Amino acid sequence: MEHSRKKLIISFLIIFIFWFIIFWISYQLITPLIFGVEVGDSLLFSFDSFVPVVVFTANGFFLELLYLGVLAIRDKFNYKNRVVRKLKYYPMLIFGVIGLTVNYANYFLVIKPNGLLQCSDKMGYKQNLMHDYVHDLTYCERK
């Protein structure tokens, strides 16, 4: 019994850390739309929208898991109405569309009106998926 409890706690910690990273990336993608971009700040944008869609879809997946977990806990204490719950794909689809919308809203509402410039490509996998946009190209070397 004690061994399975340790596995469960470790699993929840890993899931929480993964969710926190996904949430932080989503926050970084939404922030320029809400607060704008100051001089010296950079903005991430992807023309193919792969990273934003995957990140927001993962947020929808974790939201659905949280919902199913709450229902499972509620059903555990209510023995009369046990219902088998299935994972629904609507939250993931909705959040994926939100990610696509946020990505292109950043481009049309923040990058173009503020005249942000794309930093030159750097070596590395991350740099091939997302591009930094800044007010002045001298800020590219500082990152």
Side-chain angles (χ1 to χ4, degrees), residues 72-116:
I73 291 170
R74 188 192 71 186
D75 289 347
K76 182 177 181 182
F77 297 110
N78 187 5
Y79 295 107
K80 296 176 186 172
N81 298 331
R82 286 193 181 240
V83 178
V84 176
R85 308 281 184 196
K86 291 185 178 179
L87 185 67
K88 302 227 180 339
Y89 298 103
Y90 301 120
M92 291 179 274
L93 181 65
I94 290 169
F95 274 75
V97 170
I98 290 171
L100 183 69
T101 304
V102 164
N103 187 50
Y104 281 104
N106 273 334
Y107 184 73
F108 289 109
L109 299 177
V110 179
I111 293 174
K112 278 189 133 185
N114 291 322
L116 299 179

Side-chain angles (χ1 to χ4, degrees), residues 53-64:
V53 169
V54 169
V55 166
F56 277 84
T57 302
N59 271 321
F61 175 73
F62 284 120
L63 184 69
E64 179 70 16

Side-chain angles (χ1 to χ4, degrees), residues 8-26 55 58-59 62:
L8 185 65
I9 291 172
I10 290 172
S11 298
F12 279 128
L13 284 174
I14 290 171
I15 289 171
F16 178 76
I17 290 169
F18 186 66
W19 172 80
F20 184 76
I21 292 169
I22 294 293
F23 179 77
W24 180 253
I25 294 170
S26 299
V55 166
N59 271 321
F62 284 120

Side-chain angles (χ1 to χ4, degrees), residues 43-73:
L43 173 102
L44 288 174
F45 174 74
S46 172
F47 278 106
D48 62 2
S49 298
F50 178 74
V51 174
V53 169
V54 169
V55 166
F56 277 84
T57 302
N59 271 321
F61 175 73
F62 284 120
L63 184 69
E64 179 70 16
L65 283 182
L66 179 68
Y67 175 70
L68 291 176
V70 168
L71 290 180
I73 291 170

